[in-house]
């Protein structure tokens, strides 16, 4: 369990997310003029906690760096909302956390479908609109994307800026792959709508996604983050969507579960010595086979 300390007051993080602000409805109420009514939120994803600014006037900072996309909190992270300073603590800290050896006693191997989704054009988007609007967009995106994944029984491993890494730890199941593709489609619709709303229709962002199936290592020594070649390959697949001008790139292992007639391409992904067979999928195709 984690908690916050503000002006010597301890606030236990017992909910999935808490809001910080000057509004009386905020779970952490800070009655200071430099703090916006709805200033920031802290959301729990698995056993991790993220801070995200909600489009505040004076910004949210984590350890001195401004927050405008989901940022992972560590033990004793200093959060600053306006002039208010809050410290994040975790009750259970592994004193042997410097031991990075992967042990079979503390880790296990699972078969997982890994999904990497990244916002296309985010850098130019963030440079073209005020930082408050960027933060507001990311706060909504963070919440809505989390809901999309969790409502479809996925597990959010982590947020990395404007990229989300999710996974479904399951046995081979073609119906589940259909659900995952539908989840990615929902995520794209959310991204498009939010970007249009925040810019009054001037900008429409979309996501790109890489999906791979294979074994990953998870456990206490990895902080329950899935690691391994399957994860690395999913990241490479997402990056390669730009090379092939497609929305989603799935590996041959995922394609085999779909049982659809689509061409397979052979590509060499960055960091890979051997070619890999992949399949391109457009968002507008998904409805025809799920």
């Amino acid at each position: 369990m984690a908690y916050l300390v503000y002006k010597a007051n301890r606030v236990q993080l017992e909910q999935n997310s808490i809001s910080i602000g000057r509004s009386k409805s905020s779970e952490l109420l800070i009655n200071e003029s430099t703090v916006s009514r709805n200033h920031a939120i802290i959301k729990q994803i698995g056993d991790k906690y993220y801070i995200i600014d909600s489009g505040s006037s004076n910004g949210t900072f984590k350890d001195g760096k401004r927050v405008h996309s989901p940022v992972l909190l560590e033990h004793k992270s200093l959060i600053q909302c306006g002039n208010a300073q809050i410290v994040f603590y975790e009750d259970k800290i592994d004193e042997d956390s410097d031991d990075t050896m992967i042990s079979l006693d503390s880790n296990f191997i699972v078969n997982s479908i890994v999904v990497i989704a990244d916002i296309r054009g985010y850098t130019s988007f963030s440079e073209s609109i005020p930082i408050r609007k960027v933060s507001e967009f990311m706060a909504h995106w963070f919440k809505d994307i989390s809901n999309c994944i969790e409502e479809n029984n996925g597990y959010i491993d982590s947020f990395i800026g404007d990229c989300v890494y999710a996974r479904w730890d399951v046995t081979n199941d073609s119906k589940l792959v259909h659900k995952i593709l539908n989840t990615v489609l929902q995520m794209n619709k959310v991204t498009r709508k939010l970007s249009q709303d925040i810019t009054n229709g001037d900008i429409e962002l979309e996501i790109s996604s890489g999906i791979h199936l294979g074994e990953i290592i998870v456990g206490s020594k990895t902080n329950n983050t899935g690691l391994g070649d399957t994860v690395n390959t999913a990241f490479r697949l997402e990056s390669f969507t730009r090379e092939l001008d497609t929305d989603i790139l799935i590996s041959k292992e995922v394609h085999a579960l779909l049982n659809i007639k689509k061409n397979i391409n052979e590509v060499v992904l960055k960091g890979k010595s051997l070619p890999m067979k992949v399949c391109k999928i457009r968002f507008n195709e998904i409805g025809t086979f799920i």
Side-chain angles (χ1 to χ4, degrees):
M1 185 67 69
Y3 60 94
L4 304 173
V5 173
Y6 168 64
K7 287 188 173 180
N9 295 317
R10 174 169 167 153
V11 179
Q12 203 74 30
L13 295 177
E14 297 177 342
Q15 303 178 53
N16 181 260
S17 66
I18 72 162
S19 57
I20 301 171
R22 210 172 68 248
S23 169
K24 291 182 179 179
S25 63
S26 299
E27 281 86 16
L28 176 53
L29 174 61
I30 301 179
N31 193 18
E32 295 189 22
S33 60
T34 58
V35 176
S36 297
R37 288 179 57 80
N38 299 300
H39 198 105
I41 59 170
I42 293 176
K43 184 170 177 63
Q44 182 179 7
I45 302 292
D47 57 358
K48 306 181 183 76
Y49 292 84
Y50 290 83
I51 180 74
I52 179 69
D53 185 79
S54 297
S56 65
S57 298
N58 295 314
T60 302
F61 297 79
K62 182 252 181 180
D63 296 330
K65 295 183 178 180
R66 185 157 188 163
V67 171
H68 54 80
S69 60
V71 175
L72 182 66
L73 293 171
E74 297 95 13
H75 183 54
K76 294 186 178 180
S77 288
L78 176 63
I79 302 166
Q80 185 167 333
C81 298
N83 292 335
Q85 294 190 334
I86 308 156
V87 183
F88 170 83
Y89 290 94
E90 290 181 292
D91 283 337
K92 295 181 180 180
I93 303 299
D94 183 4
E95 299 298 334
D96 299 320
S97 59
D98 59 338
D99 179 10
T100 57
M101 294 294 291
I102 292 179
S103 166
L104 291 178
D105 294 332
S106 59
N107 292 282
F108 53 96
I109 297 173
V110 297
N111 211 39
S112 184
I113 299 175
V114 174
V115 176
I116 307 299
D118 188 47
I119 302 176
R120 283 184 167 170
Y122 176 76
T123 300
S124 59
F125 167 77
S126 62
E127 292 173 348
S128 64
I129 64 174
I131 188 66
R132 286 179 61 184
K133 288 288 187 181
V134 174
S135 295
E136 185 181 348
F137 166 78
M138 288 305 300
H140 287 291
W141 190 79
F142 183 40
K143 177 183 176 182
D144 292 348
I145 291 298
S146 298
N147 290 340
C148 280
I149 294 168
E150 291 168 354
E151 287 170 2
N152 286 283
N153 307 119
Y155 174 81
I156 303 169
D157 190 287
S158 55
F159 280 91
I160 308 162
D162 60 309
C163 173
V164 61
Y165 159 22
R167 67 179 200 255
W168 280 255
D169 298 336
V170 293
T171 56
N172 294 354
D173 184 345
S174 60
K175 290 183 179 179
L176 183 65
V177 178
H178 292 168
K179 175 181 280 191
I180 291 170
L181 284 175
N182 190 51
T183 302
V184 175
L185 181 61
Q186 290 177 33
M187 290 162 61
N188 189 61
K189 289 178 179 177
V190 162
T191 305
R192 289 175 61 183
K193 185 178 187 307
L194 285 176
S195 58
Q196 287 181 318
D197 289 348
I198 216 78
T199 64
N200 294 319
D202 292 338
I203 300 175
E204 182 179 273
L205 295 176
E206 293 198 324
I207 65 169
S208 54
S209 181
I211 307 176
H212 187 35
L213 166 66
E215 293 181 335
I216 63 172
I217 302 169
V218 294
S220 60
K221 289 294 183 180
T222 69
N223 292 320
N224 288 323
T225 291
L227 302 175
D229 183 66
T230 298
V231 179
N232 296 337
T233 299
F235 273 98
R236 301 299 189 197
L237 288 170
E238 185 283 319
S239 181
F240 212 77
T241 58
R242 295 151 184 78
E243 297 279 344
L244 296 183
D245 188 28
T246 191
D247 300 318
I248 304 170
L249 203 56
I250 64 173
S251 64
K252 67 175 182 179
E253 290 81 1
V254 177
H255 177 270
L257 289 179
L258 275 175
N259 193 28
I260 58 173
K261 293 181 179 180
K262 281 190 64 66
N263 292 334
I264 292 288
N265 300 85
E266 194 170 80
V267 300
V268 177
L269 300 177
K270 184 179 179 181
K272 298 287 185 180
S273 58
L274 298 175
M276 180 176 181
K277 292 182 178 179
V278 300
C279 176
K280 301 187 294 183
I281 296 178
R282 289 282 190 182
F283 290 126
N284 59 13
E285 295 179 295
I286 293 177
T288 64
F289 54 78
I290 64 171

